[in-house]
Amino acid sequence: MWKWLHPYAKTEQTYFLCQRLFPWFAFLAVIALLTGCVWGLAYAPADYQQGDSARIMYVHVPTAILSMSTYAAMAIAALIGLVWQIRTADMAVAAIAPVGAVVTLLALLTGAAWGKPMWGTWWVWDARLTSELILLFMYLGVWALYHAFDDKQTGGKAAGLMAIVGVVNLPIIHYSVEWWNTLHQGASITKFAKPSIAPEMLWPLLINLFGLAMAIGALALLSLQNEILRREIKRPWVQKLGEQA
């Protein structure tokens, strides 16, 4: 069942796979984000209660959702690395962590910018906001732990364990608005049976969500390539790449 993973245990195979996939992810990201942002910021109707200030949701909502999805992907890579002892999976954890941290930081900053006109303050120790902040610290912790070891194999295992433990925070973030009395609004686009958002606002939001997912994928692929080169700098195939460049 898992035999398809075996070729990518080789860093060379993974490197060239990333190289092939990156242009496609980048192209889709640019097209989708341009479409979604122009549609959402210029043509979608203003919110009937919040007015134009609600347009920040076209950035905030995708970053908030994908901050969790990216962490889940990192944890899956960590699990693969620990269970099947695949080095490239450990490298993927190290590659995804800084990308996820940036996405989470964007979610927090755009949330603060949205919260100021709505709540009258940039920050409250709300359950959703606090758990999202913890997610940022988890990303940074995984990245720091990986780089704290001179032996990157040991660092990869330690960072992977931390990433897996941090998964417990994901349901807390998602259900925080249901479990506690919070200022943060409930789900809008994840209620697929009856989304509480108008279609003309939903579509650009979904396009931006897709575009940001592609952008995260592209950045993670690029980051993984760089991590492979750092780890495998003395390998003949890497040196050959340097000669060709």
Side-chain angles (χ1 to χ4, degrees), residues 33-51:
L33 287 174
L34 280 175
T35 303
C37 286
V38 171
W39 187 352
L41 298 177
Y43 295 103
D47 184 80
Y48 78 102
Q49 286 183 320
Q50 302 178 33

Side-chain angles (χ1 to χ4, degrees), residues 7-21:
Y8 302 110
K10 297 179 180 178
T11 52
E12 185 176 1
Q13 290 268 56
T14 302
Y15 178 87
F16 288 112
L17 176 65
C18 292
Q19 193 173 58
R20 290 193 299 272
L21 291 177

Side-chain angles (χ1 to χ4, degrees), residues 9 24 31 96 103 108-109 111 127 147 154 163 167 174 187 199 203 231 245:
W24 293 100
I31 296 299
I96 293 170
V103 174
L108 289 167
L109 292 176
H147 289 283
T154 303
V167 169
H174 182 73
W203 279 109
R231 290 273 296 268

Side-chain angles (χ1 to χ4, degrees), residues 168-238:
V168 71
N169 190 42
L170 299 184
I172 294 174
I173 296 172
H174 182 73
Y175 291 108
S176 58
V177 292
E178 298 177 17
W179 292 346
W180 293 284
N181 183 22
T182 71
L183 288 174
H184 198 283
Q185 70 182 57
S188 295
I189 68 171
T190 53
K191 297 186 297 183
F192 292 109
K194 191 178 180 182
S196 55
I197 182 172
E200 57 269 28
M201 300 169 76
L202 177 62
W203 279 109
L205 191 57
L206 292 177
I207 291 170
N208 265 0
L209 181 64
F210 172 77
L212 184 60
M214 293 298 101
I216 291 169
L219 291 172
L221 289 169
L222 196 60
S223 181
L224 179 54
Q225 280 187 283
N226 290 334
E227 184 59 31
I228 289 172
L229 291 179
R230 278 195 294 268
R231 290 273 296 268
E232 305 292 283
I233 190 67
K234 295 182 180 179
R235 294 295 179 94
W237 70 269
V238 176

Side-chain angles (χ1 to χ4, degrees), residues 82-105:
L82 289 170
V83 174
W84 285 280
Q85 301 295 307
I86 296 177
R87 287 194 310 132
T88 48
D90 293 339
M91 295 180 196
V93 172
I96 293 170
V99 179
V102 171
V103 174
T104 307
L105 181 61

